[in-house]
Amino acid sequence: MKIRTAFATSVVAFLAATGTAQASTTLTILMLEGLDKGAMEAVADAYMAAHPDVTVEIQALPWGQFFQVSDLRLRSGDENIDLIYTDAPVVASYAANGYIAPFGAEIEAQARETLVASAGQAGTFEGELYALPMNSSAQVLYYNIDLLTEAGIEPPAGLTADGQASADDIQAMATEGRWTWERLVEAANAVTKTEDGRTQTWGFAFEQFGELYQLQPLGASLGGAIISDDTMTAADYLDGDAWRQAANWWSGLFNVDEVSPRALGFGEATQMFVNGQLAMFVGGTWNVPAIAESDINFGIAPHPRFAEGAAVTPTGSWYLGVHAASPDAEAATDFATFATLSAEGTGIWFDNLNQLPTTLALLEAIDTDPAYDAFPGSVMRLSAWESRNTAQPRPVTVAFSQLQDAFRTAFVDIANGVDVDEALVTAVDAYDEAARRLNRQ
């Protein structure tokens, strides 16, 4: 990659050249405000207790400022930043621009042994590991038991408030009881109710309307990649047979069956579900607490797949990378591996944030820990199964932002009635132009 700068020197090579960390070291992490910051503080406290010569300071920014300020400080080579908290799709851009340094072969090997495969893939750019995962995410099918039953639909096999689920139960549910998208549309048609030309009850919605993170499993279920392995083109991928079939199914939700509302903003599907206006939606497990507090009689089932396809689910969350301009790369790397790969660091993070972990040890512990037998803890057990068996990360490309924009435009247009072929070809052209431009820099 031509645009990589001299900053992108392997951390391990850097250490070999410079020796060990100084006796007194201060590390600064740039990250988001909120619960994540509190969890990072707990991890930092444990690290400093074992490393009294190191002080870990956290600079936290609100969501609305984080990406812009991070980019400016990394771009300027600000040596006051040692570690950067980064969203998975940004890793490729940071790596290509030389903002973060690769971890090197030894830590890559440790990561392969420690992490679920999809988490390592999302932090890898051009064959080198640039970022280590703090946690991941999972998507599930929420369904209103009463609305389905009243419409004569037997709800899918799922997790409910009065039930328990062992690891074997979860596996059976995910392998034998998983609904297909075709079955879901049948149920959505039965539930959708319209009066005087206005839809009173909708059958189904996606939580993140038109977003690549949410919809990637549609094409992937049918075996379709979004872009080529070398990331240079989406031609014959996003407009290939699998994605055309997936996009036609998506179009049918709005333009044929009319069971799904158009253009929902983030959070609106959850609110409609809680209000009893929506019978089913696919969304993140982060919605469970809010829905559990409502009066809705609901269940949670595995993410659907196509009848002739495989089960594929969204994944990915936040990562930690070492700033290439850090004057304390050795200590920064040591903290990053403690936070993301060690049993102590990952355990503290999980205990404080309770988000889907990425280490195989923690995922397997969820299988056997009785705390996850009952609902809603069993949702974490289902998520852990999906993470190990069906999760597929988003494409790692320097043009991810452009890919995401082109994808969103295409699928919003398709929902609004634009021809599927026309929308996908337009998206392919937009991505290919961006990939050519960014890979020339």
Side-chain angles (χ1 to χ4, degrees):
M1 177 60 60
K2 295 179 180 177
I3 60 177
R4 186 178 303 150
T5 73
F7 283 137
T9 306
S10 162
V11 169
V12 170
F14 177 85
L15 301 180
T18 59
T20 58
Q22 296 178 358
S24 179
T25 301
T26 297
L27 297 176
T28 301
I29 306 171
L30 188 61
M31 67 178 301
L32 282 171
E33 283 184 348
L35 297 177
D36 295 23
K37 177 175 180 285
M40 190 67 82
E41 288 172 342
V43 173
D45 287 344
Y47 184 82
M48 290 188 288
H51 301 78
D53 58 330
V54 178
T55 299
V56 180
E57 296 181 347
I58 298 172
Q59 293 184 11
L61 295 167
W63 176 268
Q65 300 176 13
F66 179 72
F67 290 100
Q68 182 178 14
V69 172
S70 296
D71 189 75
L72 288 172
R73 296 187 68 176
L74 295 175
R75 185 191 300 271
S76 68
D78 185 345
E79 295 185 356
N80 293 311
I81 301 301
D82 300 289
L83 293 132
I84 180 71
Y85 199 60
T86 177
D87 198 8
V90 184
V91 170
S93 175
Y94 281 2
N97 284 290
Y99 297 168
I100 54 178
F103 281 101
E106 183 175 342
I107 294 175
E108 285 182 20
Q110 184 182 353
R112 282 194 296 273
E113 294 178 355
T114 306
L115 301 172
V116 68
S118 59
Q121 292 168 12
T124 299
F125 175 69
E126 295 190 337
E128 294 186 278
L129 181 66
Y130 278 87
L132 288 163
M134 297 301 303
N135 49 257
S136 189
S137 61
Q139 296 269 309
V140 292
L141 174 64
Y142 294 82
Y143 58 92
N144 183 313
I145 296 171
D146 294 337
L147 287 178
L148 290 176
T149 303
E150 290 168 6
I153 301 296
E154 181 179 351
L159 307 170
T160 55
D162 58 351
Q164 298 204 354
S166 67
D168 289 343
D169 295 332
I170 293 291
Q171 177 159 332
M173 189 182 299
T175 57
E176 302 169 12
R178 188 186 299 267
W179 266 20
T180 65
W181 289 119
E182 293 88 345
R183 176 70 182 115
L184 180 142
V185 170
E186 291 176 1
N189 271 298
V191 173
T192 299
K193 293 181 180 178
T194 301
E195 294 180 11
D196 300 327
R198 294 178 62 87
T199 301
Q200 305 298 317
T201 305
W202 293 95
F204 172 73
F206 285 99
E207 180 181 25
Q208 298 180 38
F209 182 80
E211 294 295 336
L212 189 153
Y213 167 80
Q214 183 89 80
L215 302 184
Q216 181 178 342
L218 295 178
S221 176
L222 298 167
I226 296 178
I227 59 175
S228 59
D229 289 343
D230 66 4
T231 75
M232 291 300 296
T233 183
D236 298 328
Y237 293 90
L238 184 52
D239 60 350
D241 290 343
W243 271 104
R244 287 175 191 272
Q245 183 177 340
N248 274 296
W249 178 87
W250 162 263
S251 177
L253 293 176
F254 310 95
N255 303 307
V256 179
D257 296 293
E258 299 181 338
V259 295
S260 191
R262 291 185 177 90
L264 292 181
F266 188 79
E268 289 188 79
T270 309
Q271 192 58 53
M272 290 178 68
F273 187 81
V274 169
N275 292 341
Q277 300 169 295
L278 178 65
M280 298 175 286
F281 79 101
V282 166
T285 55
W286 49 77
N287 293 296
V288 173
I291 298 174
E293 291 180 359
S294 73
D295 295 329
I296 296 295
N297 180 22
F298 76 105
I300 290 176
H303 189 285
R305 63 174 176 83
F306 282 111
E308 298 180 356
V312 178
T313 57
T315 188
S317 188
W318 290 88
Y319 282 67
L320 198 59
V322 174
H323 187 199
S326 168
D328 296 302
E330 178 180 13
T333 300
D334 193 59
F335 178 81
T337 56
F338 173 79
T340 61
L341 299 179
S342 76
E344 182 180 4
T346 57
I348 293 170
W349 180 266
F350 180 57
D351 289 343
N352 277 271
L353 210 54
N354 195 35
Q355 292 188 356
L356 183 63
T358 59
T359 69
L360 292 169
L362 282 172
L363 292 170
E364 290 166 0
I366 291 170
D367 279 351
T368 56
D369 188 337
Y372 301 100
D373 288 349
F375 189 87
S378 53
V379 181
M380 181 68 79
R381 184 170 282 166
L382 170 60
S383 301
W385 193 93
E386 300 281 32
S387 180
R388 284 171 293 173
N389 294 281
T390 64
Q392 183 177 111
R394 286 160 283 185
V396 179
T397 167
V398 294
F400 182 85
S401 177
Q402 291 78 7
L403 174 64
Q404 182 169 251
D405 289 346
F407 185 98
R408 181 191 305 114
T409 298
F411 279 81
V412 169
D413 285 350
I414 290 168
N416 287 322
V418 173
D419 177 75
V420 165
D421 290 352
E422 176 186 342
L424 293 182
V425 168
T426 300
V428 166
D429 290 345
Y431 174 75
D432 283 10
E433 190 281 328
R436 286 193 296 271
R437 173 168 48 82
L438 293 174
N439 281 289
R440 281 199 302 267
Q441 294 179 5

